[in-house]
Structures are given as C-alpha cells and as structure tokens.
Amino acid sequence: MKIHTSNREKVESILKSTTVNGKFWDYTLSYDEYSPEDYSKFHPLDNPHYTDLPEFKWSDWLRQRYVFEVNLNTDEEREIFFNAFNHNPTINNYIHYELDEHPLKEYEYEYTHKIEPKYPIYVITKGRWEKTLTIDSLEDMGVDFRICVEPDEYDNYVANPRIDEKKVIKLPENFSERKQGGIPVRNFVWQHSIDRGFKKHWIIDDNILGFYRWNENVQKRVRDGVFFRIMEDFSDRYDNLGLVSCQYASFVPAVDCGREGFIVNTRTYSCILINTELLDERLEERWRGTYNEDTDLTLRVLSTGDLCTVNFNALLSGKQTTGTMKGGNTNTIYEWKEGESEESKRWSGLQKKFDELKENWGDIVTYTTNRHKDGRPHHHISYTRIFKQELKLKEGFSLEPRVNNYNMKLAKQ
C-alpha cells in the first residue's frame, strides 16, 4: 500500500510508532520510502508529432510529494494500517495523507469563443433512455450530434425531456434481433455519414460521463466542441491515419508521469473518429463479428502494414466500466444457462469475447487475468511492439514546435 504525502516527518513517525502483535513479539510495519526525485521520474515529452496541439506537460506539484510503500501481508496489518492513518479501507493500492492540493484544483476551463466539430457525431444507444450519460455530456458541450435507437425503443427515448427528438435517428430495424451486438448499427452509422457527404465520422458509446483534458497532472472537464476539433485537426494532417480515439480518464491518474500526449499504433475504443474514406479503400469489411469490435477494427487497420491509429492521453473520456450499467447489448449477444448466477454470466461472457478474438487473430492475442483486480478473463495485445509503421504527413503540413490551446484558458472559479 502506497502513501502519498506532503508531510514526510509525520508519516514516518506514525509508521515507526504503529505496532502489530506478533506470535512471539510485537513488530512495526515494514516500508520503503521514495523521494520525489525517485518516484517522479518524468517521461521526456519529445514526440515531434505532438505539435500545434494543447499544452501537455508534467506538474512540479508531483515533485513535492513523498511516497511510502508499506508492506501489508495480513488482514490484521491492513486494519491496523488504516486505523493508524484514520482512513477507510480501500481497494486501491494507495492513499493520500496530508497531501497538498493541486495548485489548479479551483480552476476550470473557459472558452474565448465557440468551436464546433467538423465531422458528424453519432451516439449508439440501447436500453438506456433513463440514464443518458453520453447524450447529457454532449448537450453540456453544446455540440450537434445524432442518437441512434431501435424502433422498439424510439418512443422511450423521445419521451425523455432531456433528449432533443430532432437528434434521434430511428433505425430501420431492431438490429439487436440479429444477435450481432453493435455491429449492424455501427455499419448503419458508417454508411449514414457517407450519405450525408462526410469523409469521417465519430461513433461514441452511450456510457460516457464527461470529456476531459489532461495537463499538468490534472484532469479538467471540457465543455465545448473543441474537444473533438483538436483530434479532427490532428487526423486531417496525415495520409495514413485510419482511427483516432481518446483514452479512458480512469486510465490516466494524476500521479502518472510516464505517458506521451498520444500513443501511435494502439487500440482505439468507445469514442472513435473513423476515416471512412480511407478505410473503405483499404479494408475488405467495415465492422464485423460480435464481440470486441473496436479491438478487431483496430487490428485490421494496423495489419495493413502502413495505416496507423492514435489514442490520445491529453484528451480523455469518462467511460464507465463495461457491465456496470443496465442496458446495452449484453442480453442480446450472450446465451445463459437457466439459473446461472450473475457472476458466472459475466465471466462466461468475457470468455466468449476472448475466444472470438483468439479465433480471428491467433498468437497476437494472449489470455490474462491480471488486468483487473477481480481476476476476470481479458485479452492482451502488445500493439506497439508488433506494429511499427509511422505517421505520414500530408503535403503542405510541417512539424514546427508550437503549442495551440485553441479556445481554452484556465480561470479560477
């Protein structure tokens, strides 16, 4: 268990004075201490392609903390530890104790002018007309978008007073009855955007609570279309960029100091800008399969050998953990045994997702239970070790170092 603190002396005093009743003698908790210099080894931010983009840098605030790693081997030691620091037990592997607040805590983004996305935004949703996280988040940003719903659920969605009926697309059929998950509606959206005259489009899951910018080791919510415009402008620089997405906010904590502003040639998911014109030229199929459709599409793009994907760490989505919200396609793509427990259903469903990926992609995909604390089955793919292709600038673009914060500025609230 790690302790992050600004009060080194007090934490050290507590640890040295906290005793555990052993079988033969009493003992204190063992620990290691890391100085700010040891713990906060900043990754060099020297990617030449991260230019004409919002500022992305580490905060000196991270160097003003001390970190203690305490060895807790028994339930008794854990109980004594949390009591000593007056902290409720947590499933996390760290606690904050008398840690100075981030200097930007009371700041939020304000906007010098309104910026709209260039490409259409589609939210695909099923069974969630009462809990409309992504829809509410996009309305909060003041951007235009479309909501794709099945005919059987259309009346439920338009009855929600928070939903603008003009933005709702009634799909031509109840695609979930095909038992292919989100594949049919994703392919509908692909063609719908082309018919509207666009070369690219956004497709977004319906369980995203807010969109954020990460800078100086703090996440701040973005309430403007600039969030999408930044990635669109970036995408439009390159001849060979097939997919662009943003990382999950939960995957980039404040203490992180080892990431680039974006990663090239990795998985894209949940909030994706798709270069439909390029991919229709290069791929034999659009969306396919039943499970892990975003992983499969990413792999097919990268397997061309020259097309790239990009996932932003500087821009984040508040994606909720899969399976924690009612609705979606869970009940339409999995077949359960009668009387099967909810936990068993979840595990068998995750196994099916892995099995389909393994069948399609062989040794690229490996099995792991280490990705999540509860040991659930998951796949692992070493994207950046396998795929080495480089981004190719379009003619007329250059990589001159420049910060572009667009219309965003921090203001104390």
Side-chain angles (χ1 to χ4, degrees):
M1 178 66 67
K2 291 185 176 67
I3 307 169
H4 294 256
T5 184
S6 301
N7 193 337
R8 174 180 177 272
E9 292 76 15
K10 187 170 181 179
V11 168
E12 190 173 44
S13 175
I14 292 173
L15 289 172
K16 288 181 176 180
S17 62
T18 299
T19 59
V20 182
N21 294 325
K23 185 174 182 180
F24 300 105
W25 56 77
D26 294 348
Y27 61 93
T28 57
L29 297 172
S30 64
Y31 65 89
D32 295 307
E33 180 184 352
Y34 301 93
S35 69
E37 292 75 19
D38 291 332
Y39 190 74
S40 303
K41 295 180 179 178
F42 293 172
H43 179 85
L45 299 175
D46 54 5
N47 186 337
H49 289 276
Y50 196 92
T51 184
D52 202 24
L53 291 166
E55 181 183 69
F56 181 86
K57 67 179 184 180
W58 316 125
S59 172
D60 290 336
W61 166 77
L62 204 61
R63 293 197 187 278
Q64 298 168 8
R65 68 171 62 193
Y66 295 86
V67 178
F68 292 79
E69 186 165 15
V70 185
N71 299 311
L72 302 176
N73 300 310
T74 67
D75 290 340
E76 181 185 8
E77 288 179 357
R78 286 181 60 84
E79 182 179 358
I80 290 173
F81 170 84
F82 287 117
N83 286 336
F85 288 94
N86 194 28
H87 197 289
N88 292 327
T90 174
I91 62 173
N92 296 324
N93 62 358
Y94 67 91
I95 64 169
H96 292 167
Y97 183 79
E98 295 195 7
L99 181 65
D100 292 342
E101 292 182 345
H102 195 289
L104 297 177
K105 180 181 179 180
E106 297 180 2
Y107 287 72
E108 296 295 339
Y109 285 116
E110 294 182 352
Y111 310 94
T112 58
H113 58 284
K114 183 71 178 171
I115 292 181
E116 298 287 350
K118 290 191 286 188
Y119 299 112
I121 297 172
Y122 294 86
V123 179
I124 54 175
T125 182
K126 185 179 187 309
R128 290 173 175 159
W129 55 84
E130 294 180 338
K131 199 165 187 179
T132 52
L133 298 187
T134 303
I135 294 170
D136 295 344
S137 297
L138 294 174
E139 289 289 5
D140 181 59
M141 299 168 85
V143 299
D144 188 32
F145 61 98
R146 297 294 179 269
I147 307 163
C148 299
V149 305
E150 296 192 344
D152 281 355
E153 297 183 344
Y154 177 83
D155 290 342
N156 291 325
Y157 276 94
V158 298
N160 185 332
R162 298 193 307 276
I163 292 178
D164 183 351
E165 184 176 356
K166 295 177 181 178
K167 296 179 179 178
V168 180
I169 297 175
K170 182 190 288 188
L171 297 171
E173 63 176 280
N174 295 312
F175 284 130
S176 61
E177 294 177 358
R178 298 189 187 183
K179 304 294 184 181
Q180 291 181 274
I183 300 300
V185 65
R186 289 173 183 270
N187 282 326
F188 169 87
V189 165
W190 191 303
Q191 187 60 47
H192 191 276
S193 70
I194 293 173
D195 292 343
R196 292 172 65 191
F198 291 97
K199 298 179 179 180
K200 301 178 183 180
H201 72 274
W202 289 96
I203 190 161
I204 307 181
D205 291 353
D206 64 353
N207 57 348
I208 293 176
L209 182 57
F211 297 89
Y212 303 84
R213 175 183 167 191
W214 195 102
N215 187 37
E216 294 196 69
N217 294 89
V218 67
Q219 298 177 10
K220 296 291 182 181
R221 189 159 176 172
V222 179
R223 290 182 160 90
D224 186 82
V226 66
F227 179 88
F228 302 102
R229 185 63 168 271
I230 292 165
M231 291 182 278
E232 292 171 340
D233 288 348
F234 180 85
S235 173
D236 287 347
R237 297 182 200 171
Y238 300 98
D239 281 321
N240 66 330
L241 185 48
L243 304 170
V244 178
S245 70
C246 48
Q247 184 60 278
Y248 295 166
S250 59
F251 287 0
V252 190
V255 296
D256 199 311
C257 56
R259 297 175 186 260
E260 294 280 359
F262 59 77
I263 302 172
V264 181
N265 299 332
T266 190
R267 181 187 170 191
T268 56
Y269 37 31
S270 298
C271 177
I272 310 174
L273 177 63
I274 301 177
N275 189 335
T276 50
E277 183 178 59
L278 177 62
L279 298 191
D280 273 344
E281 292 176 357
R282 299 297 306 279
L283 301 183
E284 294 181 358
E285 298 178 84
R286 293 174 178 177
W287 296 99
R288 70 175 190 181
T290 303
Y291 315 103
N292 287 311
E293 59 270 19
D294 45 11
T295 302
D296 178 76
L297 183 61
T298 297
L299 286 172
R300 285 190 288 126
V301 169
L302 294 175
S303 293
T304 61
D306 65 313
L307 298 186
C308 295
T309 65
V310 162
N311 193 34
F312 270 81
N313 290 319
L315 299 167
L316 309 169
S317 74
K319 165 79 170 175
Q320 304 301 289
T321 303
T322 300
T324 59
M325 283 179 59
K326 292 181 179 180
N329 281 297
T330 300
N331 293 330
T332 69
I333 58 177
Y334 301 124
E335 295 181 359
W336 316 120
K337 297 177 182 178
E338 186 175 351
E340 191 171 356
S341 69
E342 289 302 316
E343 183 176 7
S344 177
K345 289 179 181 179
R346 187 182 184 198
W347 254 247
S348 62
L350 292 169
Q351 184 66 49
K352 289 177 181 179
K353 294 173 72 173
F354 170 80
D355 291 343
E356 183 178 271
L357 270 182
K358 187 69 174 177
E359 181 180 353
N360 287 333
W361 293 101
D363 293 341
I364 288 179
V365 182
T366 58
Y367 181 88
T368 181
T369 58
N370 297 326
R371 293 286 297 275
H372 301 278
K373 294 178 181 179
D374 57 9
R376 75 187 76 161
H378 205 279
H379 66 270
H380 174 73
I381 302 169
S382 298
Y383 289 96
T384 56
R385 292 183 181 180
I386 300 171
F387 304 106
K388 302 292 186 181
Q389 50 261 44
E390 297 182 357
L391 291 166
K392 297 178 182 178
L393 279 171
K394 291 180 179 178
E395 187 176 350
F397 284 87
S398 62
L399 294 177
E400 298 178 8
R402 176 174 177 256
V403 171
N404 180 4
N405 286 320
Y406 285 74
N407 62 345
M408 295 177 285
K409 63 177 183 178
L410 282 172
K412 193 170 184 178
Q413 302 302 298

